[in-house]
Amino acid sequence: MAAVQSTAPTLVGRREDLAALEAAFEQARGGELVTIVLAGEAGIGKTRLVEEFSERAYAQGARLLSGACVDLGDAALPYGALMDALRDVPATAFAALPAPSRRALAALIPEAAPDDEPSDGGQSAVFGALLRLIEDLGREEPLVLVLEDIHWADRSTEALLRFLVGGLRQTAVLLLLTYRSDELGRDHPVRRLLAELSRAPRERTVVLGPLTRAETGAQLTALAGMPLDDAAVDAIHGRSEGNPFYSEELLAAASATGPVPPTLRDTVLARIDRLPGAARSLARVAAACGRDVDHELLADICGLAGDALDDALRRCVDGHVLAVDPGRDGYRFRHALLQEVALGDLLPGERRRLHGRIADALADRETPRGTAGAQHLAEIAYHRLAATDRPAALIAAVRAAQAAEAVHALAEASRGYDAALELWESVDDPERLVGTDLPTLLERAAECRWLGFGDRDLSPRLRDRASAQLDESGSRLRRADHLSRLATTSCYARVTAGLPLHERALSLLDDDRSSETAARVRARYACVLMLRGDYAEADRQAIAALAAAHAAGSHAQEADALITRAVCRAADGELDVALALLDDARPLVEGGADLRVLQRFYTNSTYILAAFSRYEEAVALAREGIAIEMRAGLDAQGRSGVQENGAWALCLLGRTAEALELLGEDPGAITPETVAVHSRLAEITLAQGDPRAALSRLASLRRTPDLESFMVVPVCTAQAEAALWAGDVAAAVEAARAGEEQLVEAARSDAAPLLAVALRAQADGAHADLLDPAAAAAEADRLLTRLRRISALGRRPIPEVEQLLLVGRAERARLATAPAPGLWAAVAAGWEALCRPREQAYARWRQAEALAGRADARGELEQALLAAHAAATAIGAAHIAHAAERLARRTRVGLPTDPDAEQRIFPELTPREREVLALIADGRTNRQIAAALFIAPKTASVHVSNILGKLGAANRGEAAALAHRAGLVDADEQVGAGSVPSSA
C-alpha cells in the first residue's frame, strides 16, 4: 500500500456544509456581522472544513484571522484564542486606531503600542479597543475571524464573544466558532454562551454529521493514494461510523477489522476513563450487552440498584458515553468504537462470565413470537458463543437459525446455521443436543444461503461428512434431495459449478416420477439448464418436473417448472405461450411460502416482458414484485433480480434516474452475486453519457472469475459500446470477440445486441483508419450473416432481434461506397415504434451523418440532426447529444440553444470555475488564466486546485480531458488511436 497521507488532499463530502459557510460569507460581505457556530464530535472534520472554507474566502479577497482555545485545565490563558488570531494583524491597522485604543490593546498585544505604556483601563477598555479594531478591519475588506475549540474557552473569552456579537455594527465580519459537541456536559459553561449566541441576529449553527459510506471511500482513496477494495472500505466505515479521524487512524494502522490501533484506542478510552469508578464499571458491563442496551437487562447484570444505578447511568449519559434511547427503554453507545474499546478493556475471564450471565438473564425471559422472538434467540446465541459454552452455544445457534428462517430473515438464519456448523464437531453427541442430524442442518444452511445470498463457501469437510452419512444410511431420494439443495447454493452467476451435483441427484431418482423430491430435483435441474441456454433440454426436464409435482400435489415445484417452461417458450419466440404459463404459475406462488420460487416468478416474468419490448409492463410488474418480495422477507440481494430487470426496462425507456432509484443502494464489492447489478449500473452510466466510468466498472466485471456465458455476453456488449463512445476501437473489437466466443446459437437475446455493436466497431475502425477497409467489410459480412441466422431461429420472431438485424444492415452499409441515410431512417422509425429513445437518437445521428455530404439534402440533414439532439437531450444521453452538436458545427446546422446547458456540465463547479476549466483545457498556465480573467495568479491557482479536487482529477491534463469529453469546450470528434489486428 502507498504511504498514507495525514489528511486527505481534497475535502471529501461536506458540500452542503461548505455551501452554508459560503452563503454566510456572502451575507457578511454585504456589511454586517454574521456568526456561524460549527459543531460536531471530535474527529468529525470541523478543522478540515474550516481550512477549505478559509482558502476559498481568501481567494475571494477576505482577510483571515484564526486562533484556537487550548485545554490547559484550570490554568486557562485569558483571551488566548484572540491573542493567537490577532498576531497576523498588520501594524498599520493598529496605527490607525486612536491612542487610547492602542494602549488598551497593548495589554494583550504589545505590538499595538510598542512605544507606549499599556493602559490600565480594565476589561471594558480592552473590549472597546478590540471592537474598534475588528470593525475597522471589516470595513477595509471582508474579515473572517475563526476561533476554534471554544468548549475550552476561558471566562474572559466568553465575555468578549458576547460583547462582540452584541456590539459589532456595519462591518463585513464573519465570526466562525467551532466546538466539540461531545465535550459539553450538562453543566458546561459554554452551553450558556451558545444559548445566548443562538438568539443573536444572523447567527447560524451548522452541525457536522458523519460521512456516508461513499464519502468514507473517497477519503480513504485520497489518503492511501489508491483505491481500497470495497470490503476494506465497508469495514472501516462500519467501525468509524463515518468519523473521518477514526477512519484515518484505522487506515494508518491497517486495522480495517483487527484490533483498534493504540492511538485511537487511547483517544476513545479517555472519554470512558473520565467517568467516576461506578460509571466506568457500568460502561464496561453495558459494552458486553452490545451497542444497544436494555435498561432492565443492564440492571439485572451490573450489580447496582436504585440511586446508585441512576447516578452511574446519568454520569455515562452526561459524559457522552451512552445516550438515552427512549424507543426501546434503554441506552445506546454514542459510537460503535466506544462500545468496542470498552468491551476490549475487560479481562478475558471477566468478559466470558459477563456474557454467560447475560445469556442466562435473557434465557429466563419469555420468548416473544415472530420477528421479536427470532431477535431474542439470536441475542442469546451471540452471548452463548461469546461465553464459549460450546454445547449451550450449539443449541442456541440452531434455535436462533430456525426462528430466523421461520420469519424469512434468511441472512440471519444463514449466520446461525454457520455458527452451528462450526460448533458441530466440537461437542459430544450434537444430534441429541439439537434434535437433528448434520445432513438436515447442512440442507437448511444451503437453502438459506441460496435465498439470503450469504457466504456460499460451505465447509468441504462438513459437506463430505454429511454426504458420507447419507451414503451409508440415507435413502436414494434423501441423497438426491440433499445433493440438489447443495447444488442450488451456487449463485446464478456460477450455475455450472453446481451442475455435476444436479446430475448426480438426477441419477439417484431411478424411475421415481411422482414424489415431491423428484419434482424438486428435476425443477432445479431444469432451471440450471435454462440459465445455461440449453432451452430444449430445460423444457423437457421442466415438463417431467411438472408431471411429478402434479402427482405429489406440490404447488411450489409446479410453479417452479412452469416458470422455467415460460422462459424456454419465450426463447423460441412464443410470447403468448410464455405469458399463459406465467399466468398458471402466479396463483401457486402468491402465498410466498417458497421464497425461491416467488423470487424466480418475478425475476423471469419481468425479463420476458422486457425482452419482448413490453417495457412499461415490465416496470409495473417489477415494482409489484419488489414490494411483495420485501413483505415476504427477501433481503436486498435476494430482490436484486427483479430490481435489475425493472431498471433494465427503465434504462431502455430513457428513464435512467428512475432506473438508478429502482436499483437502490450501491451493491458494494463485485462478487458473483452482484455482477448483474454492477452490469446494470454500467449500462445506466453509459446511457447517461459517461463511457469512461462505464468502462471502469465493466473492466472489473470482466476480471470476475468463472462467469457464465449469459453474464459475460451482456458485459462484453456494454464494454464494446462504451469503448466505441470513448474512442477506443481496439478495446471494442476485443470485447466483441470475447463475447462472441461465449455465444450459442439459441441465445438470441444475448447474441443480437453483441453482433450489432461488433458490426459498428468494424465500421468505426475503418472510418478512423484503424482497420483495413476490406478486412473490416469481410468481418462485417460474417457478423451480419450470423445475425441473420440468429434472427431466423425460433418459431416466431422477437421484435428486438428483428430490429437489431436492421441495425446491423445499416452499420454494414457504412462500409459501402455510398452512404445509406434511408436505412438509418428506417432504423430510427423502428426504435421509435419500440419506445427506445436512446437508440432512436443514435440512428438519427447516423442518418444525419450519412446526409452530411449531400448538397441536395439540407432539409433532411437539419431535420435528422434536430431529432437526434432533441431525443438525446430529453433523456440525458450526453454522449449522443454532444456527437450531434459536433456534427451540427461541422455542417453549419443551428441547434436550439439551451441557456442551462453549461450549468448541467460539471454542476459541482461554480460559473467562475467552469471558466477556469475551459482555459485549462485550452492549455493556459495559471498566469495566463489570471490575465484572461483579470484575477490574481494566486486566485487562479486556488481555482485550479478546487477544480482538480471537485473533479477527482490527478492533474491539469486529466481535467482538460474531462472538459473535452463533457463538451465544455469545442473539439473535433475523435476516435482513439489504438490499433487492432485485421479480422480474418
Side-chain angles (χ1 to χ4, degrees):
M1 178 181 289
V4 177
Q5 302 182 51
S6 60
T7 57
T10 58
L11 183 68
V12 175
R14 308 301 186 206
R15 182 177 298 178
E16 293 182 3
D17 303 312
L18 184 59
L21 298 187
E22 291 181 324
F25 177 62
E26 285 300 316
Q27 185 179 6
R29 290 178 70 167
E32 54 187 348
L33 171 70
V34 177
T35 305
I36 289 286
V37 178
L38 185 62
E41 67 178 27
I44 203 66
K46 299 181 295 298
T47 297
R48 183 67 187 87
L49 176 62
V50 168
E51 289 173 352
E52 181 73 19
F53 164 70
S54 297
E55 288 182 8
R56 295 183 178 216
Y58 179 76
Q60 297 179 54
R63 183 197 300 273
L64 298 176
L65 298 177
S66 179
C69 301
V70 181
D71 183 13
L72 297 176
D74 295 330
L77 178 65
Y79 308 113
L82 261 297
M83 293 170 62
D84 188 18
L86 295 177
R87 294 187 194 281
D88 291 331
V89 174
T92 53
F94 294 122
L97 293 173
S101 296
R102 290 198 306 272
R103 292 180 59 213
L105 284 176
L108 298 180
I109 310 164
E111 295 84 357
D115 300 326
D116 297 327
E117 286 294 321
S119 167
D120 58 355
Q123 189 178 70
S124 61
V126 173
F127 282 15
L130 282 170
L131 180 72
R132 176 71 180 270
L133 173 65
I134 292 172
E135 279 187 340
D136 287 352
L137 291 173
R139 286 165 183 159
E140 286 181 14
E141 56 188 340
L143 172 65
V144 176
L145 176 57
V146 179
L147 300 180
E148 294 200 72
D149 296 331
I150 63 168
H151 51 277
W152 288 323
D154 59 277
R155 296 297 177 90
S156 298
T157 299
E158 291 179 32
L160 176 59
L161 287 174
R162 291 185 179 93
F163 180 78
L164 292 178
V165 170
L168 287 170
R169 295 288 186 274
Q170 297 180 341
T171 185
V173 176
L174 173 62
L175 179 60
L176 178 52
L177 311 174
T178 76
Y179 76 92
R180 292 183 186 175
S181 54
D182 51 343
E183 291 283 348
L184 299 191
R186 181 185 297 270
D187 299 324
H188 199 292
V190 171
R191 280 191 178 275
R192 192 177 307 108
L193 170 66
L194 294 172
E196 293 176 22
L197 294 181
S198 69
R199 295 191 289 272
R202 298 176 298 282
E203 186 277 345
R204 302 174 196 171
T205 298
V206 176
V207 180
L208 292 191
L211 298 181
T212 65
R213 188 267 180 205
E215 290 166 347
T216 297
Q219 177 205 9
L220 297 175
T221 296
L223 289 169
M226 63 182 184
L228 272 66
D229 65 81
D230 287 334
V233 174
D234 288 340
I236 290 177
H237 180 70
R239 297 180 78 186
S240 71
E241 294 190 341
N243 183 298
F245 171 71
Y246 293 174
S247 297
E248 183 178 321
E249 290 293 305
L250 291 168
L251 175 66
S255 186
T257 56
V260 178
T263 54
L264 181 54
R265 181 182 180 277
D266 291 345
T267 299
V268 175
L269 198 57
R271 196 185 304 181
I272 298 174
D273 287 343
R274 285 197 295 265
L275 298 174
R280 190 162 58 248
S281 298
L282 180 70
R284 295 189 178 112
V285 173
C289 293
R291 175 75 187 276
D292 297 292
V293 189
D294 177 75
H295 177 85
E296 183 180 344
L297 177 65
L298 187 59
D300 288 344
I301 302 302
C302 71
L304 298 174
D307 292 343
L309 174 61
D310 292 341
D311 180 67
L313 282 169
R314 188 169 299 282
R315 299 283 188 150
C316 288
V317 172
D318 290 346
H320 292 269
V321 173
L322 297 177
V324 176
D325 184 357
R328 54 176 290 142
D329 189 26
Y331 311 91
R332 179 178 177 82
F333 275 89
R334 288 273 187 175
H335 196 283
L337 282 178
L338 272 169
Q339 187 257 339
E340 184 178 342
V341 168
L343 182 62
D345 207 37
L346 291 167
L347 297 172
E350 184 183 17
R351 186 184 310 132
R352 286 194 296 271
R353 289 192 299 274
L354 262 178
H355 282 297
R357 286 161 51 197
I358 294 168
D360 290 340
L362 290 171
D364 288 340
R365 297 182 180 184
E366 183 179 353
T367 301
R369 301 180 63 180
T371 302
Q375 293 172 341
H376 179 74
L377 292 172
E379 199 172 353
I380 294 174
Y382 164 77
H383 290 291
R384 293 290 187 208
L385 288 164
T388 65
D389 182 349
R390 294 179 182 276
L394 174 62
I395 296 170
V398 172
R399 290 189 66 198
Q402 291 170 338
E405 189 178 1
V407 295
H408 295 162
L410 301 172
E412 289 73 17
S414 181
R415 284 193 288 270
Y417 284 126
D418 283 350
L421 290 171
E422 286 292 321
L423 291 165
W424 189 264
E425 293 183 330
S426 66
V427 302
D428 295 330
D429 199 4
E431 290 186 10
R432 180 188 59 79
L433 285 175
V434 299
T436 189
D437 60 14
L438 180 60
T440 300
L441 193 68
L442 200 60
E443 287 172 8
R444 299 319 311 148
E447 191 80 357
C448 290
R449 289 179 181 204
W450 196 94
L451 292 168
F453 289 89
D455 178 10
R456 285 170 173 71
D457 294 329
L458 290 171
S459 164
R461 180 169 52 85
L462 289 170
R463 182 168 55 201
D464 292 346
R465 179 180 170 187
S467 297
Q469 287 181 345
L470 286 172
D471 286 341
E472 295 171 3
S473 59
S475 69
R476 290 174 68 86
L477 278 182
R478 175 76 193 284
R479 288 157 59 196
D481 200 17
H482 170 69
L483 290 170
S484 179
R485 290 180 188 275
L486 286 182
T488 309
T489 63
S490 297
C491 76
Y492 82 102
R494 285 181 177 170
V495 293
T496 300
L499 193 57
L501 290 177
H502 281 295
E503 291 170 344
R504 282 177 57 195
L506 196 67
S507 69
L508 291 170
L509 293 179
D510 296 329
D511 294 329
D512 186 342
R513 297 182 179 274
S514 59
S515 69
E516 183 173 4
T517 297
R520 179 163 44 249
V521 169
R522 291 184 186 278
R524 294 187 176 199
Y525 181 47
C527 174
V528 171
L529 294 172
M530 177 208 80
L531 287 170
R532 296 186 71 229
D534 190 353
Y535 296 119
E537 181 60 19
D539 198 32
R540 192 176 73 81
Q541 289 293 339
I543 291 172
L546 197 58
H550 275 307
S554 174
H555 289 170
Q557 309 316 319
E558 183 179 351
D560 201 6
L562 286 168
I563 293 164
T564 298
R565 288 214 67 210
V567 176
C568 295
R569 299 324 321 138
D572 214 20
E574 296 182 316
L575 176 62
D576 292 342
V577 176
L579 294 180
L581 289 166
L582 291 174
D583 284 343
D584 290 342
R586 178 185 276 272
L588 302 176
V589 301
E590 283 182 341
D594 191 317
L595 294 186
R596 174 184 170 274
V597 178
L598 178 73
Q599 178 193 51
R600 288 201 69 219
F601 174 79
Y602 282 103
T603 298
N604 288 283
S605 297
T606 51
Y607 169 79
I608 290 170
L609 288 169
F612 278 82
S613 306
R614 295 171 68 160
Y615 307 120
E616 294 287 2
E617 293 174 68
V619 172
L621 190 62
R623 296 191 191 282
E624 173 191 315
I626 291 168
I628 289 176
E629 289 179 357
M630 286 180 68
R631 288 198 297 271
L634 278 170
D635 66 4
Q637 285 185 306
R639 301 190 303 272
S640 62
V642 68
Q643 288 175 307
E644 293 156 22
N645 291 339
W648 174 38
L650 284 166
C651 184
L652 294 177
L653 288 167
R655 291 151 57 182
T656 53
E658 287 182 66
L660 287 172
E661 183 181 359
L662 193 69
L663 275 180
E665 60 188 40
D666 190 284
I670 294 175
T671 66
E673 294 79 25
T674 63
V675 163
V677 181
H678 280 284
S679 180
R680 290 288 182 243
L681 285 170
E683 291 168 4
I684 294 169
T685 302
L686 176 58
Q688 292 177 327
D690 192 348
R692 298 284 178 183
L695 281 172
S696 176
R697 193 185 296 265
L698 291 163
S700 298
L701 292 176
R702 284 280 302 276
R703 291 192 292 270
T704 305
D706 304 324
L707 286 185
E708 300 290 339
S709 62
F710 62 83
M711 285 306 311
V712 175
V713 172
V715 167
C716 286
T717 302
Q719 189 178 29
E721 184 183 356
L724 289 174
W725 282 112
D728 193 344
V729 172
V733 171
E734 184 280 327
R737 286 177 178 169
E740 194 177 358
E741 289 173 359
Q742 300 286 328
L743 288 175
V744 293
E745 292 296 342
R748 290 173 301 180
S749 59
D750 288 339
L754 179 71
L755 295 173
V757 78
L759 277 156
R760 176 186 166 186
Q762 294 299 315
D764 281 7
H767 279 281
D769 294 327
L770 296 173
L771 294 175
D772 175 70
E779 174 66 1
D781 286 339
R782 184 191 69 80
L783 292 166
L784 190 58
T785 298
R786 185 168 192 186
L787 186 51
R788 287 196 188 97
R789 189 164 61 248
I790 287 172
S791 70
L793 292 172
R795 301 183 184 184
R796 297 180 186 175
I798 296 176
E800 183 184 20
V801 176
E802 287 192 305
Q803 175 67 14
L804 286 169
L805 176 58
L806 185 59
V807 171
R809 290 173 54 205
E811 296 286 8
R812 174 61 182 86
R814 292 174 58 210
L815 291 163
T817 305
L823 263 178
W824 284 111
V827 170
W831 285 128
E832 183 178 11
L834 293 178
C835 300
R836 298 274 286 270
R838 181 163 59 99
E839 290 83 354
Q840 180 189 353
Y842 171 78
R844 290 298 182 195
W845 169 56
R846 288 297 188 198
Q847 179 191 1
E849 186 181 58
L851 291 165
R854 289 174 45 180
D856 62 338
R858 185 69 183 178
E860 290 180 74
L861 169 65
E862 292 179 353
Q863 187 176 10
L865 262 179
L866 287 167
H869 189 262
T873 302
I875 61 172
H879 54 318
I880 303 177
H882 294 160
E885 289 161 6
R886 287 191 290 269
L887 181 58
R889 285 194 291 270
R890 288 203 305 271
T891 56
R892 305 284 196 272
V893 172
L895 295 176
T897 58
D898 181 356
D900 298 324
E902 185 177 287
Q903 282 68 31
R904 284 200 297 270
I905 301 174
F906 304 124
E908 64 270 46
L909 301 184
T910 65
R912 173 64 86 183
E913 287 169 345
R914 278 193 288 273
E915 289 179 327
V916 173
L917 179 57
L919 293 170
I920 292 173
D922 196 38
R924 310 285 186 94
T925 65
N926 285 358
R927 188 169 297 280
Q928 290 169 330
I929 291 171
L933 299 178
F934 302 101
I935 58 178
K938 183 170 183 178
T939 302
S941 175
V942 171
H943 282 313
V944 171
S945 297
N946 290 341
I947 290 166
L948 296 181
K950 288 181 178 181
L951 299 185
N955 50 50
R956 298 167 71 98
E958 191 173 320
L962 289 170
H964 280 287
R965 282 198 294 271
L968 184 65
V969 292
D970 287 346
D972 291 334
E973 183 180 6
Q974 295 184 3
V975 177
S979 61
V980 291
S982 299
S983 302

